[in-house]
Amino acid sequence: ENFTLKVSGLVQNRKGWTLEELQGLPQTSQITRHICVEGWSAIGKWGGVPFAYFLKRIGADTSAKFVGFKCHDGYYTSLDMPSALHAQTQLTLTYADEVLPAKYGFPLKVRVPTKLGYKNPKYIQEINVTNVNPGGYWEDQGYNWFGGS
């Protein structure tokens, strides 16, 4: 009820977004595979806002190099802008046509089917558009930054 997504960096509109406002944006769904670096995978139906649409809506500088994500559990990661703008990258609000379960990142996750699981942050609290590589929790410990699947 008190959730507000913070938007920062190279954007024109830094207004916070409530879940209700995010749910009011155009929604899409996709059935895609989540691939974990540990070797398992799972196919699921994810629903939410196309991330490219959200970036346009907030007036993000899409010529910037990176989009960083901070999560409420201290996790953080980032994407290159082309991956953020990919047609399948999604600001995810639902799983299997239901509210996103806590184990999958309620209230909000970013679903990036072209990346390994550690590049799909959950419990998102802030999105930052920047030209400085924000790194990532696992990436800063030696995992591949690009993390493509």
Side-chain angles (χ1 to χ4, degrees), residues 51 65-69 77-85 89 110 112 115 119-121 134-135 145-146:
F51 196 56
K65 294 180 181 178
F66 307 101
V67 180
F69 305 95
T77 193
S78 56
L79 297 172
D80 59 292
M81 187 60 76
S83 294
L85 294 172
T89 302
V110 173
V112 192
K115 303 288 184 186
K119 299 299 281 186
N120 288 247
W145 180 82
F146 189 72

Side-chain angles (χ1 to χ4, degrees), residues 21 30 35 39 83 87-88 96 118 122 125 127 137:
E21 290 170 323
Q30 57 182 279
I35 302 172
S83 294
Q88 288 183 305
Y118 66 91
K122 52 188 184 177
Q125 298 232 302
I127 295 172
Y137 178 83

Side-chain angles (χ1 to χ4, degrees), residues 28-108:
T28 62
S29 66
Q30 57 182 279
I31 297 173
T32 54
R33 182 184 307 269
H34 176 92
I35 302 172
C36 182
V37 71
E38 295 172 337
W40 60 268
S41 68
I43 297 173
K45 183 177 182 185
W46 307 91
V49 181
F51 196 56
Y53 175 87
F54 183 75
L55 290 172
K56 182 178 179 180
R57 184 73 185 258
I58 63 173
D61 178 355
T62 55
S63 70
K65 294 180 181 178
F66 307 101
V67 180
F69 305 95
K70 293 181 183 174
C71 307
H72 93 269
D73 60 357
Y75 192 80
Y76 60 100
T77 193
S78 56
L79 297 172
D80 59 292
M81 187 60 76
S83 294
L85 294 172
H86 189 279
Q88 288 183 305
T89 302
Q90 179 188 75
L91 204 51
T92 303
L93 298 159
T94 65
Y95 178 76
D97 296 321
E98 301 289 333
V99 171
L100 190 65
K103 69 181 181 177
Y104 294 150
F106 178 84
L108 187 63

Side-chain angles (χ1 to χ4, degrees), residues 135-147:
Y137 178 83
W138 287 111
E139 298 88 324
D140 292 349
Q141 297 180 57
Y143 280 63
N144 180 281
W145 180 82
F146 189 72

Side-chain angles (χ1 to χ4, degrees), residues 117-136:
Y118 66 91
K119 299 299 281 186
N120 288 247
K122 52 188 184 177
Y123 318 117
I124 302 290
Q125 298 232 302
E126 182 178 352
I127 295 172
N128 180 42
V129 178
T130 181
N131 281 313
V132 177
N133 187 335

